[in-house]
Amino acid sequence: MTETGRIEPVYLGYRFGIYAAALALGATGAAASTLSEFQMRCLTPMIEVRESDTSGLSLIEDMAGRETWVAEGQDWHLSRASADAVVLFCAIHGTFGTEVDAFAETALASGDWVRIDRVPETLQSVFLREPLIEVEIDREGGSLTVIETNLES
């Protein structure tokens, strides 16, 4: 915690790591992998203001503002903002199930996130990290995305 009583971003990344571990115990197969990959490769790095994790992945597409990465033998892929992008984002595209509902409820209960009235379901950060970030849970499209907004806390 800081002197103002706010939680440090690195600590928040650790807290979300705990969420991932707890949720992975209750989920199985590809769905658990998709959520844990999102948290490890996209969400925690964005919270900690560092580049998304593409270690062990192969770059298959690099177009204006967007890169696509894959892991051999996996049923998910990662897309993220490229160096020339205006908006920073990172997403995991794949299959996920009810473990994402548990993740969202745990995040909301932590007080670190609020639900935004938007489709797809969107959680917005309220902790000390500027600019704010949002997590979009697109059940129909099969993606979990973290986006850096232009909003400040």
Side-chain angles (χ1 to χ4, degrees):
M1 290 238 184
T2 64
E3 291 178 8
T4 63
R6 302 294 302 253
I7 299 171
E8 290 290 338
V10 172
Y11 179 66
L12 286 167
Y14 175 73
R15 286 176 63 180
F16 276 99
I18 291 171
Y19 297 158
L23 293 171
L25 292 174
T28 59
S33 175
T34 303
L35 177 60
S36 60
E37 292 293 337
F38 171 70
Q39 292 181 299
M40 177 184 73
R41 294 181 180 277
C42 294
L43 183 58
T44 298
M46 185 75 76
I47 288 171
E48 295 176 350
V49 193
R50 58 183 172 87
E51 191 170 311
S52 56
D53 180 3
T54 57
S55 60
L57 305 179
S58 299
L59 179 64
I60 62 165
E61 184 175 36
D62 188 359
M63 52 192 282
R66 180 187 192 104
E67 300 173 347
T68 302
W69 298 76
V70 296
E72 188 174 325
Q74 298 296 319
D75 62 351
W76 57 267
H77 67 276
L78 180 146
S79 61
R80 71 174 187 180
S82 59
D84 61 342
V86 174
V87 176
L88 295 180
F89 73 93
C90 181
I92 297 289
H93 308 272
T95 304
F96 56 88
T98 59
E99 77 286 352
V100 174
D101 298 327
F103 160 78
E105 292 310 313
T106 301
L108 292 167
S110 75
D112 294 334
W113 300 86
V114 295
R115 184 172 276 125
I116 302 299
D117 186 20
R118 189 180 322 160
V119 175
E121 179 179 0
T122 303
L123 307 179
Q124 187 177 79
S125 64
V126 294
F127 49 83
L128 184 60
R129 191 261 189 231
E130 291 186 358
L132 297 176
I133 58 176
E134 294 178 344
V135 171
E136 289 183 354
I137 303 168
D138 185 353
R139 289 172 176 77
E140 288 184 27
S143 66
L144 299 168
T145 306
V146 61
I147 303 164
E148 189 173 73
T149 71
N150 63 352
L151 303 172
E152 296 181 0
S153 54

